[in-house]
Amino acid sequence: MQPTADFDPARLARSLLRRSHQGALATLMAASGDPYCSLVNLASHPDGSPILLISRLALHTKNILADNRVSLMLDERAEGDPLEGARIMLAGRAEEAAEGELELACRRYLAAHPSAEVFVEFKDFAFFRIRPTGAHLVAGFGRIVDLGPEQFLTDLGDAAGLLEAEAGAVTHMNEDHREAMNLYATRLLSADSADWACTGCDPEGMDMQADRRTLRLDFPDRVTNGTELRKMLVRLAGEARARR
C-alpha cells in the first residue's frame, strides 16, 4: 500500500527513533535459531541509531553474541487502541560499542535513563549499538512503507564540531536555560509545562525529556558545530517567546 500524499515517512521514522526509550528487541536463539523477544531500554546515537545497555548474562545478549541480526519494534504509545498509533520495525545488526564510542554511548544512554548509572560499572553490562539495514513503518491506513537507513538516519559527515560541542551544550542548557527548554516544549511543541531537560543534540534537532515523556524539537536548518547550535537555540527561544 502506498502512503498518502501528505505523509512524510522519513520524518516520522526519525521522530520515533529519537523519542522512543523502550522497545521490543527480537533476537535469534543461539541453539535453535528460534525467535526470542524481550523488552529493552534504549537511547539514540546522534545519527538516530539505537543504543542499548545490556547484560552478558541476559539471553538476548547471548543470542546477539552468537548471531547479531536483530529487529527492534518501537511505537509512539498513543492513547486508546495501540494499533492506531505509529510504529516502526527496525532491522539491523547489534554491535558492541568500540572503545572510542563508549563515552558518547554512556553519556547519551544515561541522559535518557539516569537510574541506569549503577549498571555501567558492572562488568557483565556493555553498550551495544544497532546498525540498521532497513525499517518497516506503519502509521495507519494508507501509511505503510519500507525505508532504507539513508532515509531515517542523520548524516554526521560534516558535524564533527557539533559532536565535540554536544556534551557541553547539553549541560549548559540543563543548568542555565530550563526556562527556554520549557518554552520550546510549551510554545513550539504544544506540550504541557514541566521540568523539561535536554538529552541530546544532533544536526537536525534536539531531544527533550520530562519524567517518562519525550519530545523532539526539529531545527528549521541543519547545524554542524557549536556556534551554529547556540545561534539556533537562541533563535528558537526568540520564536517561542514571541508566540502566545
Side-chain angles (χ1 to χ4, degrees):
M1 184 177 294
Q2 296 299 312
T4 53
D6 62 342
F7 177 45
D8 187 344
R11 180 175 182 179
L12 177 55
R14 289 194 296 269
S15 177
L16 281 171
L17 284 172
R18 301 289 186 179
R19 292 185 288 116
S20 297
H21 284 175
Q22 292 83 33
L25 176 70
T27 57
L28 298 173
M29 294 287 286
S32 64
D34 292 336
Y36 175 81
C37 191
S38 54
L39 182 65
V40 294
N41 286 334
L42 60 124
S44 65
H45 185 275
D47 71 359
S49 56
I51 298 170
L52 311 176
L53 176 62
I54 49 181
S55 169
R56 296 180 187 277
L57 302 178
L59 187 52
H60 52 227
T61 310
K62 294 177 180 179
N63 293 341
I64 287 170
L65 294 175
D67 186 336
N68 69 352
R69 291 177 295 169
V70 301
S71 64
L72 182 69
M73 172 65 75
L74 307 173
D75 72 278
E76 61 183 355
R77 305 295 168 96
E79 294 185 6
D81 185 351
L83 295 182
E84 293 182 358
R87 61 266 193 196
I88 186 172
M89 190 287 295
L90 197 70
R93 293 183 177 270
E95 301 177 356
E96 186 169 355
E99 187 68 29
E101 301 174 324
L102 287 176
E103 181 181 352
L104 184 150
C106 182
R107 172 169 52 80
R108 280 243 164 187
Y109 190 89
L110 292 183
H113 304 282
S115 63
E117 185 174 7
V118 65
F119 299 112
V120 172
E121 301 301 324
F122 287 11
K123 292 184 178 180
D124 61 295
F125 275 81
F127 288 102
F128 283 75
R129 179 177 166 195
I130 297 179
R131 306 273 186 171
T133 56
H136 182 70
L137 177 69
V138 179
F141 184 78
R143 299 188 172 198
I144 303 173
V145 63
D146 291 321
L147 300 168
E150 72 282 354
Q151 294 174 276
F152 57 84
L153 293 182
T154 300
D155 181 12
L156 302 177
D158 60 348
L162 177 62
L163 297 183
E164 183 178 349
E166 184 201 11
V170 170
T171 299
H172 177 61
M173 291 301 295
N174 289 335
E175 291 183 353
D176 300 327
H177 295 290
R178 285 299 181 99
E179 178 191 4
M181 297 293 298
N182 195 55
L183 286 173
Y184 299 147
T186 58
R187 297 192 180 180
L188 299 183
L189 299 173
S190 300
D192 293 334
S193 179
D195 188 21
W196 292 101
C198 176
T199 58
C201 300
D202 59 81
E204 297 176 341
M206 179 171 67
D207 300 317
M208 303 166 59
Q209 180 173 315
D211 300 321
R212 299 181 64 85
R213 293 170 292 170
T214 59
L215 293 174
R216 173 68 174 177
L217 178 65
D218 290 325
F219 294 155
D221 301 304
R222 183 179 173 87
V223 301
T224 58
N225 57 56
T227 300
E228 291 177 359
L229 176 62
R230 181 184 62 80
K231 290 180 178 179
M232 177 59 69
L233 294 176
V234 170
R235 169 185 166 184
L236 291 175
E239 292 180 7
R241 291 189 177 95
R243 293 192 184 186
R244 293 292 183 269

